[in-house]
Amino acid sequence: MTTFIRCDRAGNQIERLSGIHSAIRSRTVDSDDNYGDATVDKLTLTLSGEIDEGDRILYRDSKGFWAEWVAKVPETIRSDSRPITTVKCVASFEYDLEGKWVEKLDAGKLTPREYLTSVLDGTIWLVGTVESASRQMSDNGELKDYDAYKEDGIGALHGLCNVYGLEMYPTVVCDPFGVISRSVNLVNRRGDENAVWRFEYRRDLKEGRRTYSGARVFTKAHIFGKGQPIMNELNVFTGRYDKKITIEDVNDGKDYLEDESLIPYFGTLQEDGTMGHTEGRIDFEQCEDVDALFELGKKAF
């Protein structure tokens, strides 16, 4: 039986939640998010009774891992003298770090561990696993940098993850009396690129939904950097470029990257009835360095 434990704002246990009508947990399971949306673990509960804003909700999943959320948007409706509450909860580390003020931090001058340590200083969160990482390059071929200045802690960590290409997730450890430790981890990739799990319909799974991205997937991508602007007879920029740099010099004379293993899944039907490459281009308009362009292309492809 699924059990949710309700704690107050300070983390003291109040009760085991009962009268739950529905519990929907949504998590980002891919690795290419870099926390752009911040919240990668959300919970929506509908139950008989009331929950206060700021209450903490604990839950232990089937693999024995604990999750902790904070009630952020509770709404209670009384009907026939029975209160029905729907509450939207966010990951507790995000909620807590929204309340941590960062005066100034430079992600380019600190290691990820040093930066994370500074952000978490004075909070209930500890530094967990921090994997080694290098600063990423921007579209113009320069090393990324981020200067956190007078903002909240979660925003500062987003900037760090963007600079180093890292992904973050929380770890919560509990005993019978409640949470005994909370940690924030920074890793190069959450989960497994080749997942071994699969969704299976069984009697307790009422609904499943799978949504594909609308973006076209290339199996062969031509990579271009900055080019010479084309001007018209009035010396006005036409919006087009000529003689763009390519990756040929560092890629065995080829201006493209390809992956033939993707053809059966994302290829284009050819005249002879076989599947061939789906080709396209990826432009980095501000990149002027061939080596940087090659690295940007590999990352994008």
Side-chain angles (χ1 to χ4, degrees):
M1 180 178 178
T2 301
T3 301
F4 292 93
I5 302 173
R6 178 190 176 193
C7 305
D8 63 18
R9 183 181 289 270
N12 301 307
Q13 290 192 38
I14 299 175
E15 61 181 340
R16 290 179 179 266
L17 290 177
S18 59
I20 297 177
H21 300 281
S22 69
I24 301 174
R25 183 182 188 183
S26 59
R27 289 191 290 175
T28 299
V29 295
D30 64 354
S31 62
D32 194 23
D33 54 72
N34 281 326
Y35 282 70
D37 183 33
T39 303
V40 296
D41 194 347
K42 305 176 185 179
L43 175 71
T44 301
L45 281 176
T46 301
L47 70 159
S48 302
E50 297 184 4
I51 290 181
D52 296 326
E53 191 277 335
D55 282 353
R56 293 177 180 265
I57 309 297
L58 289 170
Y59 164 72
R60 190 179 187 185
D61 66 22
S62 60
K63 297 193 70 177
F65 297 113
W66 285 93
E68 183 185 46
W69 300 275
V70 176
K72 197 170 184 180
V73 189
E75 180 182 60
T76 301
I77 299 176
R78 290 184 176 273
S79 178
D80 298 328
S81 299
R82 295 182 59 195
I84 302 296
T85 298
T86 298
V87 56
K88 295 181 179 179
C89 307
V90 298
S92 59
F93 87 100
E94 177 194 353
Y95 183 89
D96 293 336
L97 295 182
E98 279 182 339
K100 171 63 188 296
W101 185 251
V102 174
E103 189 67 27
K104 182 176 175 60
L105 280 176
D106 190 340
K109 295 180 179 179
L110 298 174
T111 67
R113 176 174 290 275
E114 292 171 337
Y115 188 103
L116 178 62
T117 300
S118 182
V119 171
L120 299 183
D121 182 44
T123 73
I124 61 175
W125 292 87
L126 304 173
V127 175
T129 299
V130 180
E131 294 183 352
S132 60
S134 301
R135 288 169 62 186
Q136 304 292 294
M137 283 183 293
S138 61
D139 288 351
N140 61 9
E142 298 179 351
L143 288 176
K144 288 184 176 181
D145 199 359
Y146 182 77
D147 188 7
Y149 181 68
K150 297 185 183 299
E151 62 178 291
D152 62 64
I154 196 69
L157 287 185
H158 294 166
L160 174 70
C161 287
N162 183 51
V163 169
Y164 285 94
L166 291 167
E167 298 168 0
M168 57 181 168
Y169 69 93
T171 299
V172 177
V173 179
C174 298
D175 67 11
F177 302 100
V179 178
I180 58 176
S181 71
R182 300 174 176 89
S183 304
V184 176
N185 309 282
L186 298 176
V187 296
N188 291 289
R189 181 184 295 274
R190 290 182 296 116
D192 190 342
E193 187 173 9
N194 301 307
V196 296
W197 287 4
R198 56 182 296 174
F199 289 105
E200 296 181 355
Y201 285 98
R202 296 185 179 179
R203 65 180 184 179
D204 59 344
L205 181 61
K206 296 181 179 180
E207 181 183 54
R209 179 180 299 177
R210 180 171 64 177
T211 303
Y212 284 94
S213 168
R216 189 66 184 269
V217 177
F218 300 135
T219 64
K220 183 177 181 180
H222 299 263
I223 312 298
F224 296 97
K226 189 173 183 178
Q228 182 71 29
I230 299 176
M231 316 299 285
N232 62 17
E233 61 276 6
L234 300 177
N235 201 35
V236 176
F237 178 44
T238 62
R240 295 182 293 113
Y241 293 86
D242 190 21
K243 298 179 181 178
K244 292 191 173 187
I245 66 171
T246 71
I247 60 174
E248 292 182 54
D249 291 343
V250 293
N251 191 40
D252 298 326
K254 299 179 292 186
D255 71 350
Y256 59 84
L257 298 172
E258 62 180 336
D259 188 341
E260 294 187 355
S261 68
L262 297 177
I263 292 178
Y265 307 100
F266 302 107
T268 298
L269 190 62
Q270 306 294 298
E271 183 179 10
D272 61 1
T274 62
M275 299 296 289
H277 274 300
T278 296
E279 296 190 56
R281 64 183 295 154
I282 303 176
D283 288 88
F284 299 94
E285 299 287 358
Q286 302 304 314
C287 185
E288 302 179 75
D289 181 79
V290 174
D291 291 317
L293 180 64
F294 187 45
E295 293 302 317
L296 289 170
K298 289 192 293 184
K299 183 177 180 181
F301 183 68

